[in-house]
Amino acid sequence: MQLVFDFRASSILYLFLLENKGKGKWMIPTNVCHFIPACFIKSNCPYEIIDVNLDTLKMCEQEVISRLVKDGKNYSGILTVRNYGEENPQVAFFNKIKKLAPHLKIIDDACLSYPNFNSKILHQVDLELYSTGYSKPVDIGYGGFAKIHDNQKKIIPKELNFDEKTLIQMNNVYKNSLNNSNGIQETNFKTNWLLSKKINQKEYINKVNLNLAKSRIHREKINNTYDKYLNPSFKEIRLSTNWRYNIRLSNPLKVLEKIFEEGLFASQHYYPLNLVLKKGICPNWENIYKSMLNLFNDQRFSDLQAKKCCQIINSYAKVLNN
């Protein structure tokens, strides 16, 4: 197994796709951040967006299998995500994929999970990806790494003509598309928004390991506060709390407004990518997204702030009936 490093996890994904995208389509989930499709678009890699399963909120296995059974030879790969910080890969799902389409490349995106340098990459997986950038479970302000097999071509950082203003512009265009419900043109993702450069690997690993235990302890403390003080009917039990603490309400926007009024923070979940990019329909996530909020539990959010959030939520939130 090889470990590869870059200043950003998305750079590793992009460089991997350049070498391994193949001639067919890829599948990605609808409930991920916009940097995922941005890497596919920038690398000219065709993709389809897949809805979530209602029982797990993971990429819908049945939909993936159906497409492979119907047209497997015209797919080159799939990117799956460890939902909201799950720590274990989807072994059974990967086995099903490889049984139907042995040629398919599999990317196991663990960017919202705690970084793990030691576990071996599964033989079914071609890239296992982690991030330690802003707001990730272990946030050191930069960096990402991935695991690949020994027989794979090394992924080496390269000059991508990065322009910080272009990155800011790309993110603003994406945010504006959410605010006004307009789709975003794919050309906005083909610009010089992506930075790739070498990092000091030994220094990086040391920083991550030094922050790992502290991050776990802090998150567990904040999550315990939410468990203790929040109305338990609000908790979304299908998702991990390693990245955020997830709740479902019938009036999330009202509650979010009240949280902001008190100078505190929370956020909605990932907006359905299929709506942003005008690529198909994903009715499950389009519906579930509307009722969900994620509550912060990282180092920037204190136990006192979490308790205040609980008070606000308990005062203004309405239980979702379904």
Side-chain angles (χ1 to χ4, degrees):
M1 183 182 80
Q2 305 178 62
L3 289 178
V4 295
F5 301 83
D6 205 314
F7 193 79
R8 293 200 59 169
S10 49
S11 303
I12 298 174
L13 173 59
Y14 169 72
L15 295 172
F16 177 85
L17 289 173
L18 284 182
E19 295 288 339
N20 298 278
K21 60 187 176 183
K23 297 181 180 179
K25 302 169 287 187
W26 283 63
M27 288 180 271
I28 66 174
T30 185
N31 58 334
V32 293
C33 78
H34 64 288
F35 286 108
I36 298 296
C39 287
F40 278 80
I41 293 165
K42 186 173 175 64
S43 62
N44 293 312
C45 182
Y47 64 96
E48 295 177 349
I49 298 174
I50 307 297
D51 203 357
V52 301
N53 175 278
L54 286 175
D55 294 328
T56 64
L57 300 188
K58 299 175 184 177
M59 177 189 266
C60 182
E61 292 188 19
Q62 185 177 356
E63 179 63 26
V64 171
I65 299 303
S66 174
R67 295 189 187 207
L68 291 179
V69 169
K70 183 179 179 180
D71 195 28
K73 66 180 183 300
N74 287 318
Y75 286 94
S76 291
I78 183 171
L79 180 145
T80 68
V81 172
R82 298 189 191 181
N83 257 11
Y84 302 96
E86 285 184 346
E87 297 197 53
N88 297 316
Q90 301 177 64
V91 180
F93 184 30
F94 297 158
N95 284 336
K96 292 176 185 177
I97 292 171
K98 286 295 188 181
K99 186 176 181 179
L100 284 170
H103 67 282
L104 220 68
K105 299 289 186 183
I106 296 178
I107 298 174
D108 181 11
D109 183 336
C111 286
L112 295 183
S113 304
Y114 285 108
N116 185 334
F117 296 109
N118 300 317
S119 65
K120 298 297 183 183
I121 184 173
L122 296 174
H123 68 86
Q124 305 96 324
V125 172
D126 298 279
L127 183 76
E128 183 179 321
L129 186 64
Y130 294 86
S131 175
T132 52
Y134 179 77
S135 85
K136 298 302 189 294
V138 175
D139 175 355
I140 64 170
Y142 73 97
F145 70 96
K147 300 170 187 177
I148 60 174
H149 296 288
D150 287 328
N151 61 354
Q152 289 178 257
K153 184 177 179 180
K154 187 84 171 179
I155 303 170
I156 301 172
K158 62 186 293 186
E159 174 57 50
L160 298 177
N161 297 316
F162 170 70
D163 180 73
E164 187 169 0
K165 291 181 180 178
T166 302
L167 173 61
I168 294 170
Q169 182 182 28
M170 186 268 276
N171 284 328
N172 286 339
V173 168
Y174 172 74
K175 291 173 185 175
N176 290 337
S177 74
L178 305 186
N179 294 332
N180 57 29
S181 299
N182 290 334
I184 189 171
Q185 296 296 317
E186 290 194 351
T187 51
N188 289 289
F189 291 143
K190 291 192 174 184
T191 56
N192 298 332
W193 59 268
L194 186 55
L195 173 62
S196 172
K197 70 176 184 179
K198 291 182 180 180
I199 59 176
N200 184 310
Q201 297 179 14
K202 184 177 180 180
E203 179 182 286
Y204 173 79
I205 291 172
N206 286 339
K207 281 185 178 181
V208 172
N209 286 334
L210 282 172
N211 282 276
L212 182 57
K214 290 190 292 185
S215 176
R216 281 188 182 274
I217 291 169
H218 182 81
R219 273 188 161 77
E220 287 174 6
K221 180 180 180 180
I222 302 298
N223 288 339
N224 287 337
T225 294
Y226 289 136
D227 280 337
K228 181 177 180 179
Y229 292 102
L230 272 181
N231 180 335
S233 62
F234 297 149
K235 186 175 183 180
E236 172 49 75
I237 61 174
R238 290 170 290 186
L239 295 177
S240 165
T241 57
N242 283 342
W243 178 59
R244 293 283 190 265
Y245 189 98
N246 313 279
I247 61 175
R248 286 192 76 195
L249 316 169
S250 65
N251 61 336
L253 295 182
K254 178 67 174 180
V255 172
L256 195 59
E257 179 184 329
K258 292 297 181 181
I259 289 172
F260 288 159
E261 284 178 1
E262 294 299 319
L264 298 169
F265 306 97
S267 67
Q268 292 183 275
H269 280 255
Y270 291 127
Y271 193 84
L273 282 181
N274 59 295
L275 297 181
V276 177
L277 294 158
K278 304 299 182 186
K279 290 177 76 75
I281 58 172
C282 297
N284 292 343
W285 188 247
E286 288 173 33
N287 181 53
I288 293 168
Y289 159 83
K290 296 173 184 177
S291 61
M292 296 186 75
L293 290 180
N294 55 54
L295 307 180
F296 289 10
N297 54 12
D298 59 46
Q299 298 281 352
R300 299 177 182 85
F301 211 71
S302 70
D303 190 55
L304 178 59
Q305 288 174 308
K307 288 176 181 176
K308 288 181 178 178
C309 262
C310 291
Q311 293 172 359
I312 295 167
I313 294 165
N314 288 334
S315 297
Y316 294 98
K318 295 179 180 180
V319 176
L320 193 69
N321 292 325
N322 59 346

